[in-house]
Amino acid sequence: MKRNAPENAWNAQTPEQEPWNEPDYTPDQLPERRSGGSARLLPLAVCAVLLVVLLVEGAFFWLKGRQLAWQNAVYVPDAQQSMYQADESFAFGPYQRAVKVSGQGEDLGPITGIAQNEKIVRAAVSLGVMNDAAWDCDGAFYLQCDGVYYRNLGGYELEEEHPEWAMRALEGFELCGPGMEEGWVYFLVPESVSEGTLWLHWLEKNDDYDTESVQTAGVAVQFDQEVTGND
């Protein structure tokens, strides 16, 4: 005969489960756990701020350099450009005057009276003899750097601070003169300039002294040689 199980038999076979309670956190633990994400984001935010500052500073100095460049830039008449080798004599102008330009220029650095982030560079030029002066000519020297043209400094601009430089400074009009000339052509350029193209321009004039034609000759020049002497 089948016996009835005791009333508490089921309860004896299935252990009683304790109710689940949410873990207890002390007040000083909760903020630490919640701030873990913020702590990880803080270095990223600092890096982002530093990157923005560097970009802004870089843009500022680039724009400052371009401002100085365009401030000293000059208008150059359009003409067919002919390039020649440095340190080799070539014939220039309608009178086929012998000209030689040194490919190694000199970096003279800043001088008193010029703007910050600017400097003086120079290139050596030799002009051969012509039989007669060309009165219908207007000569000019230009230095082309990064698409910007700078006109040469004459002795008048140099004599106050460096009269020894002014004594050997060539002027543009000497391209039209008859005598042999040897000297330096000086330019005021941004400090970042380390090379450029020295252009000689021969501008033919009519009776009204208007330009009728232009002949040019260009030579590549390096200015990475710093000089502190006074020759």
Side-chain angles (χ1 to χ4, degrees), residues 110-122:
I111 64 173
T112 304
I114 66 176
Q116 189 177 7
N117 300 323
E118 291 184 327
K119 66 181 179 181
I120 304 292
V121 297
R122 68 182 182 182

Side-chain angles (χ1 to χ4, degrees), residues 90-104:
F90 58 90
F92 173 63
Y95 297 91
Q96 297 296 287
R97 187 176 194 178
V99 176
K100 184 168 68 172
V101 178
S102 173
Q104 181 60 64

Side-chain angles (χ1 to χ4, degrees), residues 98-147:
V99 176
K100 184 168 68 172
V101 178
S102 173
Q104 181 60 64
E106 294 183 353
D107 184 341
L108 301 174
I111 64 173
T112 304
I114 66 176
Q116 189 177 7
N117 300 323
E118 291 184 327
K119 66 181 179 181
I120 304 292
V121 297
R122 68 182 182 182
V125 177
S126 299
L127 304 175
V129 177
M130 290 196 309
N131 294 329
D132 295 309
W135 302 108
D136 56 351
C137 161
D138 185 13
F141 295 107
Y142 299 100
L143 183 65
Q144 180 187 6
C145 305
D146 297 328

